[in-house]
Amino acid sequence: MIRSLARLLADDGLMGRAIRFALVGGVSTLAHALLTHLAVSRWQMAPAMATVVGYLLAIPLNFLLQRTFTFRSGQSLRHELPKYLLVHGLNIGGSFLIMYLIADVAGADYRWGILANMVVVPAMVFTAMNVWVFRRARS
């Protein structure tokens, strides 16, 4: 089983990238969720704004790991960083909207918004990074 996992992690095909993305995404998602929870529970921040803060604080770690581990890019930061930031800018807006709709409009507990963001955002980010941000790295 360990050898199978090692082979999958070493695979540069779609499956390997997806598995590595999931691992990095898990770390980033936990960081985002913990930071969002901290911002709401300790700093008394509104849930929608707290999710933006949590997301922004998790971005540098995520970029470094996605670029070096997931997509194994050797391309110029000049090409990848603006695309990466645009994707995440759109995702911050989407995360805010999801949290706003769940916590403010529907009146549900903000933790449902965290959960929704943990499902929706990673799927959108992987697709954008795989077909656009780090595409040149595989060419």
Side-chain angles (χ1 to χ4, degrees):
M1 179 157 159
I2 292 174
R3 285 185 184 190
S4 295
L5 180 59
R7 262 184 267 143
L8 284 172
L9 289 174
D11 178 23
D12 278 330
L14 183 61
M15 183 61 78
R17 289 190 308 273
I19 290 169
R20 290 189 304 271
F21 179 85
L23 291 172
V24 170
V27 170
S28 297
T29 298
L30 285 174
H32 171 252
L34 291 172
L35 291 164
T36 299
H37 179 70
L38 178 67
V40 171
S41 65
R42 300 275 189 231
W43 304 332
Q44 307 304 309
M45 203 175 273
M49 186 53 68
T51 200
V52 173
V53 169
Y55 198 92
L56 288 172
L57 292 174
I59 283 178
L61 174 65
N62 183 272
F63 178 74
L64 177 66
L65 292 175
Q66 296 297 6
R67 185 170 193 270
T68 60
F69 178 66
T70 302
F71 295 97
R72 299 178 178 158
S73 176
Q75 298 297 315
S76 166
L77 284 174
R78 185 183 68 179
H79 295 291
E80 294 171 344
L81 188 58
K83 293 184 220 177
Y84 179 90
L85 292 174
L86 178 60
V87 166
H88 282 284
L90 294 171
N91 284 322
I92 288 170
S95 294
F96 180 89
L97 181 62
I98 289 168
M99 184 65 80
Y100 174 77
L101 291 172
I102 290 172
D104 295 340
V105 175
D109 188 283
Y110 74 92
R111 287 171 279 213
W112 287 110
I114 292 173
L115 184 60
N117 276 313
M118 290 170 74
V119 173
V120 174
V121 172
M124 294 184 330
V125 172
F126 177 76
T127 301
M129 284 193 199
N130 192 54
V131 301
W132 186 51
V133 176
F134 296 111
R135 183 171 178 81
R136 289 183 62 203
R138 295 187 315 275
S139 302

